[in-house]
Each structure stands twice: as structure tokens, then as C-alpha cells.
Amino acid sequence: MTSRTATNPSTDAVALRAELRDLYDDYGADLDGGRLDVWPDYFTRDAEYHVIARESFEQGLTHATILCQGLAMIRDRATAIRDLAVHQPRTLRHFISGVRVQSVGERVEAGANFLITEALYDDEPHLLMVGEYLDELVCEAGVWKFARRVAVYDNYRIRTSLVMPV
Amino acid sequence: MTSRTATNPSTDAVALRAELRDLYDDYGADLDGGRLDVWPDYFTRDAEYHVIARESFEQGLTHATILCQGLAMIRDRATAIRDLAVHQPRTLRHFISGVRVQSVGERVEAGANFLITEALYDDEPHLLMVGEYLDELVCEAGVWKFARRVAVYDNYRIRTSLVMPV
Amino acid sequence: MTSRTATNPSTDAVALRAELRDLYDDYGADLDGGRLDVWPDYFTRDAEYHVIARESFEQGLTHATILCQGLAMIRDRATAIRDLAVHQPRTLRHFISGVRVQSVGERVEAGANFLITEALYDDEPHLLMVGEYLDELVCEAGVWKFARRVAVYDNYRIRTSLVMPV
């Protein structure tokens, strides 16, 4: 449990959670909209971005499906995907739920559940990926940024076609 | 990205987004509950209401699955469905995520993702429809109303049984 | 419709809804995280907790899949599940949407939609359960607790493997 146990929950904690809910929703909407040019703006210069299977994550393995260390790698990935994905006949859609704040300090630790649907041009939408964000955020010039975002997915395996960030 | 780039996000913008999140949730809950009598109240007198496939929408086609122009057509549709659906042995459920505000002016442009599950009396729940609301809202006597609501669905095709609004 | 019809929605009503949204998200996150030790803390001493099929619920039947009357039964259930579930190779994930307040009084009546995904160790995530919470809450020493939580699921039938609370 997060802020719930406090008998007089701080207005700031409630406000922070609301701000992060907006941030998480913006992040998902930008990816859904294919706006990969703004995706790196969600990260700090030294940010780490991982997409990793739960099994690997829980065993402490470093075998991540996507592993970016630093903003340069994140930008490279965005560029590479944009070139690949332009004519991709599929639609992804993020559903974010359960935004939560684990701890507040120099870095805010927060998280949320994600569910991503995929619709191909000739098939019905299906669950592409389900999992949990485990994040560390810092506030830079009034804007929340991810210093570390780890997307741990519950799927046993993911399609090799996964190129879009999560 | 919406309000995220502002270094000092306006409290009003944050509050507006929270209000719309409540509105979108109310809208979905009323449809899930089968309260078609209140559904027209979410729209202005001149409102347009469309349900359309992404492919048609992106090609600028006007072939919509549902197309209501003005409140009279919206009310007619509500009445027709209520007559049809009374004994319908299925349950629909809306999941709204990613409520966002694109622009604020005389009309607020906003949107959200929707995921609708359908449960039939003899089968497990499944994804019925996934997509995105593209909306224009105005505030009438203190209540937000849709001047235009376009529900763009990602599904390749939808079942002919679709009669409920989205 | 809930607070939507008010021309000047009370700030308190808006704030209450935001608080409950946080509460519902915390509840889901604790269950997803397997923190069954804190699950009883969400309930009052005399709380009722039901998990029931929509069909049974609408017919007024008392045949519930899970039925706990009072905190002692809720605690017993948490203990029993914790013993069973320790090595369970599956991941559940709650997606809560549409938190709404039906009435405010000594007890607050509220609700929300839930969608729970299940991922097994060797299969893709799927929809395990979809439904609606129907709740009565009271505020005890500044903390919202469920005096009654009824989870009405839309599924025709649920797997006998359901042991986790909803």
C-alpha cells in the first residue's frame, strides 16, 4: 500500500499521483499516435529504459527484450522504429491503470499496470502485451521525466515483431 | 503531447482533465448500465455522433457504422435501441484510459482510448471493440457536453449485432 | 449518472471520487502484488465481501463464488490463499476503470469496472474475469474502508482455479 495508510493523506501526495496519472496517459497516447519524435522527451539524459519478461526480471537476468542506456540509445531506437514502422498496417493502444507512488524522494518511485491491444488490418484486436511499469522519476524544470523505466511484461513470450516501445 | 510541455502546468488544465475523466467514466457507466434514457443528455442540440472504422476514418470516408446528426437523431437511436435491447442476454463493459485534452478554446478538443468487453450468457467475456474517442466539448450551464463525438474503432470489422452506442 | 447533473459540482464530490480512484487502484495493486497480508485492511470489522456471477446476482440468489461475512472470514481467506498460492506460476493484473460515486451519506455507495488478466507460465495473457464492483464505504480514522464489497462478474462461469480475491 502506498499513501493509503496515512490518516491525513498529504495533498501533495494526492496531487503527485494525479500528475503522474496524466504523465502516464500522455506517454501511452504519444506511442499510440506513433509520435516517436516526442518519445525521448519523456526521459532524462542518463535514463535507462528496459522492456523485459517477468520471468527474467524476477531471476535478476539482464536479458531484456529492449535495453537502452542513456538518451542517445533511446533516440536511436526512436529513429530506427520510425523508419521501420511508417507503413505498418497495425494499431496499438495503451490502457494504463493503477498508477501508484511507492516512495517520494530525490527520485520518485512509481508504477502502473499496462495493457496493450494490437489491431491488424485483417483481424480483430487482441491483447498484445500486459504488464507493469516500474519507474523512477525526477522533476526537471517543472516536467516529470523518467530516470528509469522498466516495463515488465507478463507474457510468456512476445512476438518477434515487437519493435514499438512499451 | 498535451499539457505536459508546460513548465508550470495550469491548475485549470489539470482540473479540466480530471473533470473530463469523470465525464468519460460516467458516459461509459451509463451505457454499461443500459441507461439509454440519459445517453442523449451527454450531447448538445447540434451534436454529431459517429462510430466509424479507423480505415474509413483515415481515408476521409463518410461510411460510418453509426452516424447521428443532431440531438433528434441521437434520441431516436436511443429509443430504437431500448426497444431492441431490453431482453438482450449480454453485458457490455467500458474501460476508458488515457483521457487527454488536445486544445482548449470555445470548444475543448479531447480524447481517450476505449476498450469494450462483451459477455454473452453462455460464453466468456471477450474484447468486443477497441478504439479512440475524438471529441469536441462545450460547457453548457456548467455541464460538459459533447458537441461532436467520433468513436474510431480499430477493429477490422464489427459484428452486425452492434446496436449499442460506443 | 452521478455528480454530472449538478451545475456546480461540489469540490468535495470531485475530491471524493479522486480519493476512491486511488483506493481502488491501491486495492488492485496489492492483489496483483500478492500482498494478501494487507488485503483485510481494506475492510471494516463487519464487512461483507462477495464474488458472485451476474446471473445469480440479478436473480437475487445467494450462491456466491466467494462469500465472507466479517473480518475474521476475510482474514481466514487471506491466510488460506497465501498458503496455497506461494508457488503459483501465474500473474494476475487488475485494470480498474469508471470509478463512480452513486450516493454520499453515512455510507458512500460507489463502484467501478474491473478487468483482470491472467498470465500463466507457458501461455499468453488472457481475460480472466470482467465485471463490476458494487461497494459501500465508510471512513474510519481518515481511511476509507469497504463495509461491503460485491464483485459481480460477467463471466458465464469461472475456472475452479479461482482462489485469489477479486
Side-chain angles (χ1 to χ4, degrees):
Chain A
M1 279 194 300
T2 58
S3 60
R4 182 175 171 270
T5 50
T7 50
N8 287 307
S10 142
T11 302
D12 287 354
V14 171
L16 170 60
R17 192 168 182 173
E19 283 175 30
L20 295 188
R21 196 175 271 130
D22 286 353
L23 174 76
Y24 281 41
D25 280 345
D26 285 339
Y27 178 101
D30 278 331
L31 290 183
D32 292 347
R35 293 183 287 279
L36 285 162
D37 53 319
V38 302
W39 177 61
D41 297 343
Y42 285 96
F43 295 92
T44 63
R45 178 175 298 274
D46 297 325
E48 293 202 10
Y49 174 69
H50 301 202
V51 179
I52 188 167
R54 174 160 301 281
E55 194 176 3
S56 302
F57 179 76
E58 288 181 349
Q59 294 175 358
L61 302 179
T62 55
H63 175 70
T65 305
I66 300 179
L67 174 53
C68 296
Q69 293 181 303
L71 194 53
M73 284 184 70
I74 290 170
R75 285 199 179 119
D76 281 354
R77 186 156 193 106
T79 306
I81 295 165
R82 211 163 47 212
D83 294 345
L84 272 175
V86 167
H87 299 294
Q88 204 168 27
R90 63 172 184 165
T91 307
L92 301 182
R93 206 159 291 290
H94 282 68
F95 294 86
I96 308 294
S97 184
V99 174
R100 48 202 173 259
V101 178
Q102 267 94 24
S103 75
V104 179
E106 198 180 342
R107 289 187 173 201
V108 167
E109 292 180 31
N113 290 350
F114 62 82
L115 180 160
I116 304 173
T117 61
E118 178 186 50
L120 300 168
Y121 77 101
D122 60 353
D123 202 1
E124 296 307 294
H126 61 272
L127 296 186
L128 178 68
M129 189 180 264
V130 172
E132 180 181 15
Y133 290 122
L134 301 174
D135 299 319
E136 294 176 18
L137 298 110
V138 295
C139 198
E140 290 186 349
V143 177
W144 286 106
K145 300 210 168 188
F146 294 107
R148 180 181 171 90
R149 162 151 274 200
V150 180
V152 181
Y153 57 84
D154 299 339
N155 301 51
Y156 169 55
R157 55 182 176 190
I158 53 169
R159 298 152 192 254
T160 53
S161 66
L162 175 76
V163 288
M164 284 295 285
V166 176
Chain B
M1 280 193 300
T2 57
S3 59
R4 180 173 173 274
T5 50
T7 50
N8 288 307
S10 143
T11 302
D12 288 353
V14 171
L16 170 61
R17 191 166 181 175
E19 283 174 32
L20 295 188
R21 197 174 270 130
D22 286 353
L23 175 76
Y24 280 41
D25 280 345
D26 285 339
Y27 179 99
D30 278 330
L31 290 183
D32 292 347
R35 293 183 287 279
L36 285 162
D37 53 320
V38 303
W39 176 61
D41 296 342
Y42 285 96
F43 295 92
T44 63
R45 177 175 300 274
D46 298 324
E48 294 202 9
Y49 173 70
H50 301 202
V51 180
I52 187 168
R54 175 160 300 281
E55 194 177 1
S56 302
F57 178 76
E58 289 181 348
Q59 294 175 358
L61 301 179
T62 55
H63 175 71
T65 305
I66 300 178
L67 174 52
C68 295
Q69 292 181 305
L71 194 53
M73 284 184 71
I74 290 170
R75 286 199 178 118
D76 281 353
R77 186 153 193 106
T79 306
I81 295 165
R82 211 163 47 211
D83 294 344
L84 271 174
V86 166
H87 300 294
Q88 204 168 28
R90 63 172 184 165
T91 306
L92 301 182
R93 205 160 291 290
H94 283 68
F95 294 86
I96 308 295
S97 185
V99 173
R100 48 202 171 259
V101 178
Q102 267 96 23
S103 74
V104 179
E106 198 180 344
R107 289 188 172 201
V108 168
E109 292 180 30
N113 289 351
F114 62 83
L115 180 160
I116 305 174
T117 61
E118 177 185 51
L120 300 168
Y121 77 102
D122 60 353
D123 202 1
E124 297 305 295
H126 61 272
L127 296 186
L128 177 69
M129 188 179 266
V130 172
E132 181 181 14
Y133 291 121
L134 301 174
D135 299 318
E136 295 176 16
L137 298 110
V138 295
C139 196
E140 289 186 350
V143 177
W144 286 105
K145 300 210 169 189
F146 294 107
R148 180 181 172 88
R149 162 151 273 200
V150 181
V152 182
Y153 58 85
D154 300 338
N155 301 52
Y156 169 55
R157 54 182 177 190
I158 53 169
R159 297 152 192 253
T160 52
S161 66
L162 176 76
V163 290
M164 283 295 285
V166 175
Chain C
M1 279 194 301
T2 57
S3 60
R4 179 172 174 273
T5 49
T7 51
N8 287 307
S10 143
T11 303
D12 287 355
V14 171
L16 170 61
R17 191 167 181 175
E19 283 175 32
L20 295 187
R21 198 174 271 132
D22 286 352
L23 175 75
Y24 281 40
D25 280 345
D26 285 340
Y27 179 99
D30 278 332
L31 290 182
D32 292 347
R35 293 183 287 279
L36 285 162
D37 53 321
V38 302
W39 176 61
D41 297 342
Y42 285 96
F43 295 92
T44 63
R45 177 175 299 274
D46 298 324
E48 294 202 9
Y49 174 70
H50 301 202
V51 180
I52 187 168
R54 175 161 301 282
E55 193 177 2
S56 301
F57 178 76
E58 288 181 350
Q59 293 176 358
L61 301 179
T62 55
H63 175 69
T65 305
I66 300 178
L67 173 52
C68 296
Q69 293 180 305
L71 194 52
M73 284 184 71
I74 290 171
R75 286 199 179 119
D76 280 354
R77 185 155 194 107
T79 306
I81 296 166
R82 210 163 48 212
D83 294 345
L84 272 175
V86 167
H87 300 294
Q88 206 168 27
R90 63 172 185 167
T91 307
L92 302 182
R93 207 160 291 289
H94 282 68
F95 294 85
I96 307 295
S97 185
V99 173
R100 47 202 172 259
V101 178
Q102 266 95 25
S103 74
V104 179
E106 197 180 344
R107 289 188 173 200
V108 167
E109 292 180 31
N113 290 351
F114 62 83
L115 180 160
I116 305 174
T117 61
E118 177 186 51
L120 300 168
Y121 77 102
D122 60 353
D123 202 2
E124 297 306 294
H126 62 272
L127 297 186
L128 178 69
M129 189 181 265
V130 172
E132 180 182 15
Y133 290 121
L134 302 174
D135 299 319
E136 295 175 18
L137 298 109
V138 296
C139 198
E140 289 187 349
V143 177
W144 286 105
K145 300 208 169 190
F146 294 107
R148 180 181 171 88
R149 161 151 274 200
V150 181
V152 182
Y153 58 85
D154 299 339
N155 301 53
Y156 169 55
R157 56 181 176 190
I158 53 168
R159 297 154 193 251
T160 52
S161 66
L162 175 76
V163 289
M164 283 294 286
V166 176

